[in-house]
Amino acid sequence: MNPNNKQHLGRLRDAMRFSRKKLEAFRRRHKEAIEQYVGIDYSEGGSDKPVYLNLMEIAANIYERQLAARPPKVLVFTHSKKLRSQGVKLEQAMNSMLRTYDVHNALRRCVKSSLFSMGICKVGTQVIGNYEEEGFNFTKTRPYVASVSLDDWVHDMTSHVPEEIDYCGHRYRMPLEAARKDKSFNKSARENLTSMEDFSFNESGDERTSTISQGASQHEGQIEDKIELWEIWLPKERLIVTLGPNEGDKPLKVVEWDGPPNPLGPYHLLYFNEVDGNSMPLAPAMLWRGLHDVSNGLFRKLVREAQRYKVVGLTRGVDSEDADRIRMASDGEIVGVDNPEAITEKMFGGIDQRNFAFMLQIKQLFSWQAGNLDLLGGLGAQSETATQDQ
């Protein structure tokens, strides 16, 4: 694959379109799961029905706390006594850098995404300026970690495992003016760049996850023109290719990979259930969704039953005067009636105890299927004594 060859580049773009189409179903499931996660009160783009018992939110937050509760830290040690003081300084410097560059938020977002589809992290170095030292010019860089949304992701869907892909990459937005002035980009390609809306739909017509809160018209709130670019990793050639939106244009940039050996280059994937012969995993939310929907369907039914519940006083026609006296009497008041049994109370509606018991059983099954959430989240005792629980 030579990205500077027009025919090769055309094949790459065709392959990307094919894989993006195949990823459409996973993007839809991801968005549907997020809609259940936020419920009906988050925004107009959330769930279309009340989510009284939000099991998806409970499970996702418990696992996020278990997997990414705090910023990562490193431990540096050495067997050499002479190097121990330097090891301590290196450990402090690295931990300070992990806090400074906000690695925790990127990892936390990656963990959350992995629960609904697949977590994707991009790791690299970012150029932040130049400086001169003893007559030599140097480029100043810093490391960065960024979480990539499945909406903006593509990888070779013809592969059977992630490690065997022929390409992968992500889409990102940047200011149009900055792209046109970036001298690292191909001059003719960057001059052809034009402003693009922040589309609410992907190429296949499926809504992006951002529409849950932002709605269908996002471009109206932008304060500057922006452009969408693709950054693609080619593992066999060890190249990172930056592509613009125009089909016939040359790549904006082709860079040789200078980093640790990794089949996915700058990208790292987090997933939990690998599916044999498939490059996309089975996300936990795909397993949670069924019981979540059943429990909330039952809960909504119980709410309707409770709202229909009423107590009505019944009387015979001949006792209507006595019934009116009893109805109008205040608490503790004594009234004279011919028939003290003029009114009998009848109850109508109310919660069906079988439905209520079934809903509670579904809730317990959800905790069991999700790996015992009651124990992981500290939601309830699992043993007879605190020592046994510990």
Side-chain angles (χ1 to χ4, degrees):
M1 168 61 65
N2 178 9
N4 291 311
N5 182 294
K6 188 174 182 178
Q7 292 182 344
H8 290 193
L9 186 60
R11 290 206 303 269
L12 175 60
R13 287 187 180 272
D14 290 340
M16 289 171 58
R17 276 192 292 269
F18 170 84
S19 293
R20 287 283 293 174
K21 180 63 178 177
K22 293 300 180 182
L23 285 167
E24 177 186 352
F26 296 95
R27 295 194 299 266
R28 289 184 185 275
R29 295 291 182 269
H30 181 103
K31 182 176 181 294
E32 291 169 0
I34 294 294
E35 289 172 352
Q36 293 300 310
Y37 172 80
V38 301
I40 196 172
D41 295 317
Y42 175 71
S43 70
E44 294 181 356
S47 172
D48 57 349
K49 295 179 180 179
V51 183
Y52 296 114
L53 195 62
N54 201 330
L55 300 177
M56 299 279 278
E57 186 271 343
I58 293 174
N61 284 347
I62 286 176
Y63 275 102
E64 182 184 345
R65 292 197 301 268
Q66 293 285 330
L67 299 172
R70 58 185 63 86
K73 290 184 178 181
V74 300
L75 177 63
V76 178
F77 63 93
T78 175
H79 296 292
S80 173
K81 293 183 178 180
K82 296 180 179 179
L83 299 177
R84 286 178 183 174
S85 61
Q86 297 182 29
V88 172
K89 294 179 181 178
L90 178 60
E91 178 180 314
Q92 293 174 347
M94 293 180 69
N95 287 330
S96 175
M97 183 177 293
L98 289 172
R99 292 190 301 269
T100 302
Y101 297 137
D102 202 14
V103 176
H104 179 225
N105 276 337
L107 296 181
R108 181 177 54 81
R109 295 187 185 106
C110 183
V111 166
K112 182 66 71 69
S113 295
S114 69
L115 298 173
F116 294 100
S117 57
M118 180 172 65
I120 308 163
C121 262
K122 182 185 178 185
V123 180
T125 55
Q126 182 180 17
V127 177
I128 58 175
N130 299 300
Y131 66 96
E132 184 178 341
E133 186 73 27
E134 297 182 355
F136 293 94
N137 293 322
F138 297 92
T139 301
K140 189 175 183 180
T141 62
R142 66 179 181 185
Y144 76 92
V145 181
S147 177
V148 177
S149 169
L150 186 66
D151 270 334
D152 300 322
W153 173 254
V154 66
H155 73 263
D156 180 13
M157 286 293 286
T158 64
S159 64
H160 296 166
V161 293
E163 294 78 15
E164 295 179 357
I165 60 172
D166 287 334
Y167 62 89
C168 68
H170 78 294
R171 173 179 57 195
Y172 66 96
R173 292 179 65 81
M174 69 179 298
L176 175 62
E177 190 66 22
R180 285 176 173 172
K181 292 181 178 180
D182 192 336
K183 294 183 179 180
S184 66
F185 287 171
N186 179 279
K187 184 177 181 181
S188 62
R190 60 187 166 97
E191 288 177 350
N192 291 335
L193 297 176
T194 57
S195 176
M196 295 179 62
E197 296 179 3
D198 190 3
F199 296 110
S200 305
F201 298 87
N202 289 304
E203 312 90 311
S204 301
D206 54 303
E207 288 187 347
R208 299 184 183 182
T209 307
S210 58
T211 58
I212 292 177
S213 64
Q214 299 175 359
S217 57
Q218 303 171 11
H219 63 281
E220 297 176 357
Q222 296 181 7
I223 62 174
E224 61 179 337
D225 293 334
K226 292 189 176 182
I227 188 74
E228 281 188 353
L229 307 178
W230 281 93
E231 192 162 283
I232 303 298
W233 159 250
L234 302 176
K236 293 179 181 178
E237 296 77 13
R238 296 185 60 81
L239 297 176
I240 297 178
V241 184
T242 304
L243 301 176
N246 302 320
E247 286 285 331
D249 287 352
K250 296 180 179 180
L252 286 166
K253 183 166 57 174
V254 179
V255 179
E256 293 186 3
W257 169 249
D258 181 18
N262 178 24
L264 300 177
Y267 300 102
H268 299 263
L269 305 182
L270 175 63
Y271 50 87
F272 300 103
N273 301 305
E274 187 171 351
V275 180
D276 186 34
N278 292 269
S279 60
M280 281 299 291
L282 176 65
M286 298 176 186
L287 303 174
W288 301 340
R289 179 72 188 277
L291 291 177
H292 169 88
D293 288 344
V294 171
S295 64
N296 277 279
L298 287 169
F299 208 104
R300 287 191 291 267
K301 184 177 180 64
L302 292 172
V303 170
R304 293 193 299 269
E305 291 175 351
Q307 291 171 340
R308 288 197 306 268
Y309 174 76
K310 61 182 177 180
V311 179
V312 179
L314 303 179
T315 185
R316 298 182 302 174
V318 295
D319 294 328
S320 58
E321 292 184 3
D322 288 349
D324 283 340
R325 294 191 190 100
I326 295 173
R327 180 176 61 84
M328 299 298 294
S330 300
D331 182 37
E333 184 179 354
I334 299 176
V335 294
V337 295
D338 295 328
N339 181 13
E341 307 296 331
I343 295 180
T344 58
E345 286 188 343
K346 293 289 185 180
M347 294 179 292
F348 297 91
I351 291 177
D352 186 280
Q353 293 301 314
R354 292 170 298 181
N355 285 340
F356 181 64
F358 185 39
M359 187 273 297
L360 293 179
Q361 183 63 33
I362 293 296
K363 175 177 171 292
Q364 291 299 320
L365 284 173
F366 183 92
S367 175
W368 170 78
Q369 187 180 58
N372 201 347
L373 293 180
D374 293 337
L375 180 61
L376 291 175
L379 302 178
Q382 301 296 303
S383 308
E384 295 181 359
T385 67
T387 304
Q388 289 174 336
D389 250 5
Q390 186 177 4

